[in-house]
Amino acid sequence: VQDVELKETLELAAWNHGSARILIAGSDSMGTEEEGLAEQVSKRLEEAYGDAVTVKHLQYDGNSIDFLAENKVEDYVDFRPDVFIYEPLLLNSNGVEDAVKTTNDMIDTVLEALQAENENLYTILTPPNPIYGAVYYPLEVDDLKKYAEEENLAYVDHWSEWPDHQSEEIKVYLNNAQSAPNEEGEKIWASEILKLFGL
């Protein structure tokens, strides 16, 4: 449960250790280190806050079961984030029933590990990009939104800003494989994340 505001978290962290550490983590839906959504968001945060923030992006290609089996949470813990922007591998886990069922356990594990290092952690959950014509995937995104509400975590409801995912128009905003947004799609998603920061 988050009692403080994002702005307070950033200010406090910058005050305490010189720079607020912001971790953006998730699947390749968020892009690579060189390009994509995470890179866009990082750049904008660095422009806005300068040295008061240190932004890192960690990308993972597997699903929630793989993530837990490989104990990848240690990579997140090593960075000791103050603000955690997390896309919990929904698209990677989609279609693998056990992985879908494991999503909330994985989020719990990750947040417990990070909060053990930093009790003032501010978490922002985001679904990945929509894809065309999906049936089960939108339900998994609804579940993530419910989880965020139940745990009182910030949630980036960026799907409401995209064209309807049952319409062909959505393809204009995605790469050919639909595994990630293209530049147009990134703008929609990035803008919704940055709104939380007042940018």
Side-chain angles (χ1 to χ4, degrees):
V1 177
Q2 310 192 99
D3 299 325
V4 292
E5 292 300 312
L6 177 55
K7 199 162 181 269
E8 284 175 55
T9 303
L10 289 169
E11 284 169 1
L12 191 66
W15 178 260
N16 284 341
H17 42 249
S19 184
R21 291 183 287 259
I22 302 173
L23 176 60
I24 304 173
S27 67
D28 46 2
S29 166
M30 299 185 101
T32 61
E33 274 180 33
E34 288 77 42
E35 58 178 13
L37 171 89
E39 202 267 336
Q40 267 200 39
V41 171
S42 303
K43 214 159 77 183
R44 187 72 188 85
L45 290 171
E46 283 160 357
E47 280 167 10
Y49 293 106
D51 293 341
V53 297
T54 305
V55 189
K56 185 179 177 76
H57 171 218
L58 288 172
Q59 170 201 347
Y60 182 70
D61 295 336
N63 62 34
S64 58
I65 296 171
D66 307 327
F67 185 91
L68 289 173
E70 293 169 23
N71 200 21
K72 282 291 177 184
V73 67
E74 289 305 315
D75 296 346
Y76 296 0
V77 172
D78 286 347
F79 185 64
R80 296 191 62 171
D82 300 295
V83 175
F84 180 46
I85 302 172
Y86 191 33
E87 181 274 292
L89 314 176
L90 288 196
L91 205 43
N92 290 5
S93 297
N94 178 45
V96 184
E97 194 182 343
D98 286 350
V100 170
K101 287 179 180 162
T102 307
T103 298
N104 286 3
D105 293 342
M106 178 189 68
I107 303 172
D108 287 342
T109 301
V110 168
L111 294 186
E112 277 166 25
L114 291 178
Q115 283 160 350
E117 292 292 322
N118 180 358
E119 59 185 15
N120 298 317
L121 178 75
Y122 190 94
T123 300
I124 296 168
L125 289 179
T126 175
N129 53 277
I131 57 176
Y132 173 65
V135 178
Y136 297 109
Y137 175 48
L139 303 175
E140 290 150 23
V141 169
D142 286 344
D143 284 345
L144 180 66
K145 189 177 181 178
K146 282 188 201 114
Y147 176 95
E149 282 166 6
E150 282 162 12
E151 300 294 325
N152 194 25
L153 301 170
Y155 179 78
V156 183
D157 196 2
H158 63 99
W159 277 38
S160 57
E161 301 303 312
W162 294 70
D164 179 1
H165 54 82
Q166 298 300 333
S167 77
E168 293 271 344
E169 193 194 344
I170 192 88
K171 293 179 179 175
V172 176
Y173 296 87
L174 301 169
N175 66 11
N176 290 340
Q178 296 199 67
S179 61
N182 59 22
E183 269 183 45
E184 291 306 305
E186 282 162 20
K187 281 179 194 159
I188 298 174
W189 189 358
S191 149
E192 292 305 299
I193 290 176
L194 291 164
K195 267 183 197 169
L196 291 178
F197 289 86
L199 301 174

